Amino acid sequence: MTLQAPKSLSSSGFALGSTTESKTKGIWMWCVSHPTKAGTTLVLLDTEGLGDVDKGDPKHDTNIFSLAVLLSSTLVYNSRGTIDNKAVMELQYITELSECIKVKSSDEDADDSSEFVKFFPSFIWAVRDFTLELKIDGKDVTEDEYLEFALKLKHGTSRSVIEYNFPRECIQRFFPSRKCFTFPFPTAPENMSHLGSLASADISSEFLKVTDHFCKFVFHDSSVKRLKVGHTVTGRVLGHLAKTYVDTISSGAVPCLENAVIAMATIENKAAVKEGLQVYQSEMEKLKDSFPLELKDVFSEHQHLSSTATQAFMKRSFKDTDGKYLKSLEEKIIKLFDEHLCQNEHASKKRCEEILSSLSAPMMVKLKKGFYAKPGGYDLFCKDLEDIVNKYNSQAKKEVKAEEILEEFLKQKSVDSKAILQADKKLTEKEKKIKEEKEKAALLEQEIKAREEKLRQLEEKMEAVRQSNEERMRQMKEKMDEEMRLQREETERAMNRKLREQADLLQKSFKEEADVMRQEMEEFKRQNTESNRAGELVAILENSSRRHEEEVATMMQQRSVQMMAIQQMIVRSEAEINRAREFAAIVENSSRRHEELMAMMMQQYRANMMAVHSSNGCRTM
């Protein structure tokens, strides 16, 4: 069996054979832009003629017919002359479809042909070289009425009646709609052998009129091909679908719509994850050129791209019943997001270090020259360091790593600070101790700032993750709602068709057949009621919500750890500050007592001096 684009295909359509030999072999495919529906491709499948006695395999025609039914949204069957019993009986392939196509894979022996109407294409019977008048019992009828008359069932239970009714029942039950077109001879008999090269003037105006009516109907009324779950078939999916069906038929197995959908879903969902991830990754790579950025800008872009990536995924994916592939995309996006956060932090760290390196360069020169190694040098050092910190805070205030890099810088400079402090002879030991305690408190305060900034960033990330998750859930719900809507419409169309058929059968006194139709409709209702798509949506939403809660719990745990560390540092900082204050108070009290003692000593000294002076005066007299 072959499915190919014909080598001899021109821009005007399929080539026409002018000999008794069949021109088309297998199924030929021709793709053109839809003439009336933008963004839609019209795919025309041309099968080889059916009923050729020279074909070796008796199942070949049935396989061709089955494949055409499976791949098309509108099936055009053409015959010549009239729609009489012979023409209907020649359409025996329809009666074999229940053995050649399965809807469900659960029970291979079960007859699920009653569900064909949900998934089969519309049926058009094109009658070529039609020469009769469209009259029944002397009354003018339409082409469609002519077809329905040809498909009319007979009453009775004899074998001949059953054989007569069977193909007609199959056509009525399997296809969701029927239409008929009768084409007159296109030209004079002598021109038929070179029909493909005739000028428009040589073609019958009546033939052109019917052809125009036929094309307009197909262009306007033919629906887009959809899979069993309502997913629109793209060119890519059609290719996978054709290969799946051809491989199955060639292996001798029966093609199954459910299995085909599962196979397509696996292929498309994997590709959808890749496509969504590519959307996110490509745009984030562009953003990387602007690093370092404020964290809010990175989060904002992440949320936008995450939403866009999810949209790309949703557009291509289908039947992701357990949310497995959406979860995969989500995990890959989060991994990329974290990688870009790290890269932004690295860029921020580099910029902060460059700022500090530039600002501290004069100080480094002074340190090398020993500028601060003199009395009062510690205060000079502290003044220069304060200037550096103020300028740095002004230049790096929006950097992600600003506080952390400043903390590291101050820790490094504390080594120089201690050395300068100890060497400063202008300060007493007690003053040095006070300044040392104050410096420790300042370092601890900067460490707290750095931790608080990390905590703030973590909270921002939690909020970004929350918003991204909400947007993902919204899109997922929309997707599932759309799939359920398509499934309902699919069932409703089948139900409406069944109701019309049932009413027609009852009107024509075919009560037994109408009862069978009623049972099929009851089964449709039951399946529609028991549809688990709503349950699947709930399950997916719950799984995604659970994953989000786990992520939030992890980040909350990190937040708790950081909060505890900050609280401990605050306690330490307060203790250091209190200790410094206590020490300063002790020093101040000691200094005050020392001054009082010195005052008393001076007072005593003056008194003694006066006493000595008075004693000397007495001896002189």
Side-chain angles (χ1 to χ4, degrees):
M1 181 178 294
T2 59
L3 181 70
Q4 59 187 22
K7 296 177 182 177
S8 59
L9 183 61
S10 68
S11 61
S12 59
F14 295 105
L16 294 172
S18 58
T19 67
T20 56
E21 182 184 5
S22 175
K23 186 74 176 177
T24 305
K25 299 295 182 184
I27 299 180
W28 283 7
M29 180 183 291
W30 182 34
C31 302
V32 293
S33 297
H34 200 287
T36 61
K37 298 176 182 177
T40 303
T41 299
L42 187 63
V43 181
L44 302 173
L45 303 176
D46 184 26
T47 73
E48 63 180 85
L50 305 178
D52 188 346
V53 294
D54 292 332
K55 293 172 185 171
D57 185 359
K59 289 196 67 178
H60 183 80
D61 285 349
T62 303
N63 291 338
I64 290 287
F65 190 82
S66 299
L67 189 57
V69 168
L70 289 167
L71 294 178
S72 61
S73 61
T74 298
L75 181 72
V76 181
Y77 175 75
N78 75 86
S79 64
R80 182 175 292 167
T82 61
I83 305 179
D84 53 15
N85 187 52
K86 181 176 180 295
V88 175
M89 298 309 288
E90 284 178 351
L91 199 51
Q92 60 182 351
Y93 317 105
I94 288 183
T95 65
E96 299 172 6
L97 287 176
S98 60
E99 299 175 4
C100 299
I101 297 175
K102 302 297 292 181
V103 175
K104 298 177 181 177
S105 60
S106 55
D107 190 348
E108 295 184 0
D109 297 326
D111 181 8
D112 49 16
S113 60
S114 62
E115 295 195 43
F116 284 176
V117 70
K118 289 183 182 179
F119 318 113
F120 271 26
S122 301
F123 182 80
I124 296 178
W125 195 320
V127 186
R128 296 179 294 143
D129 306 339
F130 186 77
T131 58
L132 302 178
E133 288 187 85
L134 285 173
K135 288 181 179 292
I136 298 174
D137 297 331
K139 295 181 180 179
D140 291 337
V141 294
T142 64
E143 294 163 311
D144 293 341
E145 289 170 337
Y146 172 64
L147 173 60
E148 293 307 309
F149 180 78
L151 299 180
K152 187 177 179 180
L153 304 181
K154 285 184 177 180
H155 288 282
T157 57
S158 66
R159 181 175 179 178
S160 61
V161 170
I162 291 173
E163 289 177 352
Y164 177 89
N165 286 345
F166 189 40
R168 291 168 171 79
E169 288 176 339
C170 289
I171 293 173
Q172 293 173 9
R173 289 175 55 220
F174 293 170
F175 298 98
S177 66
R178 301 188 292 275
K179 185 74 178 171
C180 180
F181 291 90
T182 56
F183 292 82
F185 275 98
T187 187
E190 60 270 18
N191 293 331
M192 292 296 291
S193 61
H194 50 279
L195 188 60
S197 60
L198 288 179
S200 297
D202 296 323
I203 298 177
S204 163
S205 60
E206 186 62 27
F207 178 84
L208 291 175
K209 180 181 177 182
V210 177
T211 301
D212 182 62
H213 179 47
F214 169 81
C215 291
K216 286 180 178 177
F217 176 82
V218 171
F219 295 157
H220 183 268
D221 288 68
S222 288
S223 59
V224 173
K225 175 67 177 176
R226 298 186 186 277
L227 293 177
K228 181 175 176 286
V229 290
H231 184 73
T232 299
V233 173
T234 62
R236 180 180 55 249
V237 172
L238 182 63
H240 289 310
L241 207 58
K243 186 177 187 306
T244 299
Y245 288 142
V246 170
D247 289 346
T248 303
I249 293 171
S250 298
S251 70
V254 176
C256 173
L257 293 174
E258 188 172 69
N259 288 344
V261 167
I262 292 171
M264 289 306 99
T266 301
I267 293 170
E268 286 299 287
N269 287 336
K270 285 181 179 178
V273 171
K274 187 176 180 181
E275 195 170 299
L277 191 65
Q278 178 61 29
V279 167
Y280 182 88
Q281 189 170 16
S282 61
E283 292 302 315
M284 282 298 278
E285 284 298 314
K286 294 177 185 177
L287 186 70
K288 191 166 69 173
D289 296 335
S290 304
F291 284 172
L293 293 171
E294 285 188 69
L295 210 55
K296 65 177 183 179
D297 294 332
V298 181
F299 287 156
S300 176
E301 190 66 10
H302 160 71
Q303 287 173 253
H304 168 68
L305 293 179
S306 178
S307 174
T308 306
T310 303
Q311 286 174 5
F313 171 85
M314 293 294 183
K315 187 175 180 180
R316 185 164 182 176
S317 73
F318 68 97
K319 205 173 173 58
D320 185 16
T321 50
D322 56 358
K324 169 185 172 184
Y325 294 98
L326 182 60
K327 177 185 176 183
S328 174
L329 174 64
E330 182 183 342
E331 290 173 346
K332 291 176 187 295
I333 284 177
I334 289 174
K335 183 179 178 183
L336 277 176
F337 177 46
D338 287 340
E339 288 175 1
H340 281 83
L341 283 178
C342 289
Q343 291 168 2
N344 187 57
E345 287 179 359
H346 180 74
S348 178
K349 178 182 178 183
K350 185 178 178 182
R351 178 174 290 180
C352 291
E353 288 173 345
E354 288 172 352
I355 292 171
L356 281 173
S357 176
S358 174
L359 292 174
S360 64
M363 174 184 277
M364 296 304 294
V365 172
K366 289 180 180 180
L367 283 169
K368 287 180 181 180
K369 290 182 178 180
F371 176 78
Y372 302 110
K374 60 184 178 182
Y378 179 77
D379 287 338
L380 292 173
F381 178 82
C382 290
K383 178 65 173 61
D384 288 347
L385 186 61
E386 184 181 359
D387 289 342
I388 291 171
V389 171
N390 290 336
K391 289 177 181 178
Y392 172 81
N393 286 333
S394 176
Q395 295 180 33
K397 61 182 178 181
K398 293 184 178 181
E399 292 296 332
V400 175
K401 303 292 281 185
E403 298 296 344
E404 187 177 332
I405 299 305
L406 180 58
E407 178 195 352
E408 293 175 2
F409 175 77
L410 292 177
K411 283 181 179 179
Q412 292 170 1
K413 290 294 168 265
S414 68
V415 177
D416 296 323
S417 177
K418 287 177 182 177
I420 294 169
L421 178 63
Q422 295 304 319
D424 196 335
K425 295 180 179 179
K426 184 180 178 181
L427 301 173
T428 65
E429 290 300 318
K430 292 177 180 179
E431 289 173 329
K432 288 178 183 180
K433 186 65 176 174
I434 292 171
K435 291 183 180 294
E436 186 178 347
E437 292 297 328
K438 287 183 178 180
E439 187 173 326
K440 283 181 182 179
L443 285 173
L444 194 56
E445 184 180 354
Q446 181 56 40
E447 187 178 352
I448 291 171
K449 280 185 180 180
R451 290 295 182 95
E452 287 177 339
E453 178 60 20
K454 276 188 176 181
L455 182 62
R456 186 189 67 78
Q457 292 174 7
L458 179 61
E459 289 173 345
E460 280 190 29
K461 183 179 179 181
M462 287 170 62
E463 178 61 19
V465 169
R466 184 191 66 78
Q467 292 182 11
S468 294
N469 185 69
E470 285 183 355
E471 173 62 18
R472 193 177 298 111
M473 292 302 97
R474 185 192 65 78
Q475 291 189 35
M476 184 190 301
K477 187 176 183 303
E478 282 185 1
K479 173 79 170 180
M480 298 296 287
D481 286 345
E482 176 64 13
E483 287 189 359
M484 285 190 282
R485 182 187 66 79
L486 290 172
Q487 187 173 346
R488 285 194 302 270
E489 289 180 357
E490 188 178 82
T491 302
E492 286 170 5
R493 281 195 299 270
M495 286 284 291
N496 291 336
R497 183 61 197 171
K498 294 281 186 184
L499 284 169
R500 289 195 299 271
E501 293 291 343
Q502 184 191 36
D504 187 54
L505 288 170
L506 287 171
Q507 184 180 358
K508 295 173 182 177
S509 301
F510 288 93
K511 186 177 183 305
E512 186 175 337
E513 289 81 355
D515 286 341
V516 172
M517 195 74 69
R518 180 184 55 76
Q519 292 173 8
E520 290 177 357
M521 286 189 291
E522 290 297 327
E523 178 64 16
F524 279 2
K525 288 179 182 177
R526 186 188 64 78
Q527 290 177 2
N528 200 38
T529 303
E530 294 179 358
S531 174
N532 62 348
R533 294 302 282 166
E536 289 172 2
L537 172 60
V538 172
I540 291 173
L541 292 174
E542 285 179 351
N543 288 337
S544 185
S545 179
R546 186 165 55 250
R547 290 197 304 272
H548 174 63
E549 287 173 0
E550 289 171 357
E551 290 171 9
V552 171
T554 301
M555 287 188 282
M556 284 297 290
Q557 189 174 5
Q558 295 173 3
R559 181 178 181 277
S560 298
V561 170
Q562 291 192 16
M563 281 291 290
M564 189 177 297
I566 289 171
Q567 289 171 357
Q568 290 173 351
M569 283 189 289
I570 290 173
V571 171
R572 279 170 47 208
S573 177
E574 290 175 349
E576 294 283 354
I577 291 170
N578 290 335
R579 192 158 55 247
R581 286 173 178 167
E582 289 171 1
F583 187 77
I586 291 170
V587 170
E588 187 176 342
N589 291 334
S590 177
S591 178
R592 187 166 55 251
R593 288 197 301 272
H594 175 70
E595 288 174 357
E596 290 173 354
L597 181 61
M598 288 293 294
M600 289 174 60
M601 291 174 64
M602 286 297 295
Q603 189 175 1
Q604 185 67 39
Y605 174 76
R606 289 192 188 97
N608 290 338
M609 288 295 293
M610 288 178 67
V612 169
H613 180 71
S614 179
S615 174
N616 290 335
C618 288
R619 285 197 296 269
T620 302
M621 291 175 64

